[in-house]
Amino acid sequence: MLSPAVRVVGPLRGVAPDGVRAALAGLHTLDPRHPLLGGAPDGDALARRLRTAVRAAPGAGPAELAHLLLAPGAARVLVGDAHVATRLAAPEPMLRELLLAAAQRRAARPLPVPPPRGCRPAVRPAPPDPRPLRDWHPRPATATAVAGPGAAAPGTGAAALTVRVARALRAVGLPPHGVGAVVDGRRLPAADLTDPAAVAAALRRARPARPDPAVVPPSVVAAEPQPRLTLRRADHGLLADLPWAAGPRADVTAAGHCPPEGVVVAATTLGGELHLTATFHATTFPAELVAAALRLAAGQPAPGRG
């Protein structure tokens, strides 16, 4: 099954680890077969499972929480001083209900959770790569950027936002590969991702993207890798009534799965702001370059660029 994405939101008031555990325990009482806790045992065994699944991360900010949850074997929920990170296959309404229930010290209501859209095929070896190669190992990383109020509305259509991100990657020396790009669940035919007309035409011809074939994690990557871009947009308006604390809001969505040369960019809107999160491998692309590209896409100057 595809790994669920990591979501980090905050700053929030009144959400603590014991409140999240109580909300999930109450959800289990109301619906023992709910997908978030389906098959979990009762009593002391449930309490032990929840202590493992929900942990505190004092002092951790949004980026660090996302990084911690991307690690293999990580908890399902981490609660920092003001931010909450989840790695649960929960759609927007269920995530909102869980956080509200935790803040209000009550059981989370068992809202519907749709089944996953598909499973990954049987694992098989990666096909030979004819390019010059170098040694490689996975190291998921994230970069974030926020465009100020009013920047989310114009230029955030699928084609326009794809071009913004692709041009920003090219500007920092990471030109994206135009084959295999996925935008809002649609796989684009080959196109120049920095050309608005080409991207718009490709989107008109695009078909729903199937899950990529699962392969044995490679030990090598191209010596000169090119980003294979995936763009996912979502309007997280349902989160507007969470118990927000004072300060800049963070809405981070890190991909649960990222191929070796993938750059998965999630674009969300929250309170009129455009929040961008890139998931990639720091062993493939320099983290400082991806971060600089994301700032450019958000309309912020990268260091050294004025």
Side-chain angles (χ1 to χ4, degrees):
M1 188 182 300
L2 289 174
S3 302
V6 169
R7 287 289 305 280
V8 186
V9 295
L12 299 176
R13 290 178 289 101
V15 180
D18 57 349
V20 177
R21 294 187 193 106
L24 289 170
L27 171 66
H28 182 266
T29 300
L30 295 173
D31 183 0
R33 296 185 178 275
H34 193 274
L36 288 193
L37 286 170
D42 291 309
D44 291 342
L46 174 62
R48 287 194 298 270
R49 177 175 292 192
L50 289 176
R51 283 196 297 271
T52 300
V54 183
R55 299 177 182 172
E64 186 177 359
L65 288 171
H67 177 73
L68 291 171
L69 277 196
L70 285 172
R76 309 300 288 181
V77 181
L78 284 178
V79 183
D81 296 338
H83 296 81
V84 181
T86 67
R87 189 164 57 94
L88 300 168
E92 193 88 338
M94 190 67 239
L95 174 65
R96 169 183 173 274
E97 171 61 15
L98 175 62
L99 294 176
L100 284 175
Q104 297 167 3
R105 310 288 296 185
R106 61 173 175 80
R109 294 178 295 127
L111 302 182
V113 172
R117 289 185 292 180
C119 295
R120 298 181 66 79
V123 174
R124 65 176 190 236
D129 193 329
R131 299 171 295 175
L133 304 174
R134 61 174 171 84
D135 291 340
W136 182 85
H137 64 274
R139 198 173 88 202
T142 59
T144 62
V146 180
T156 55
L161 193 50
T162 300
V163 170
R164 284 171 62 177
V165 173
R167 285 180 173 176
L169 286 168
R170 186 169 69 178
V172 300
L174 299 175
H177 199 286
V179 178
V182 177
V183 176
D184 285 355
R186 294 170 287 173
R187 189 172 299 279
L188 274 61
D192 178 359
L193 300 180
T194 63
D195 180 350
V199 173
L203 281 171
R204 288 194 292 270
R205 303 193 309 273
R207 296 182 177 181
R210 295 179 179 179
D212 290 329
V215 298
V216 176
S219 59
V220 293
V221 73
E224 296 184 3
Q226 285 185 284
R228 295 180 179 268
L229 183 62
T230 297
L231 178 69
R232 298 171 179 165
R233 295 178 309 150
D235 183 356
H236 291 157
L238 281 176
L239 303 184
D241 63 348
L242 291 179
W244 296 100
R249 295 182 180 181
D251 185 0
V252 176
T253 305
H257 170 76
C258 184
E261 293 184 60
V263 175
V264 183
V265 177
T268 65
T269 54
L270 182 65
E273 294 181 330
L274 177 65
H275 293 247
L276 298 175
T277 306
T279 308
F280 59 100
H281 288 281
T283 44
T284 305
F285 305 112
E288 64 274 12
L289 292 185
V290 178
L294 215 61
R295 288 193 293 269
L296 287 174
Q300 303 173 11
R305 295 178 179 269

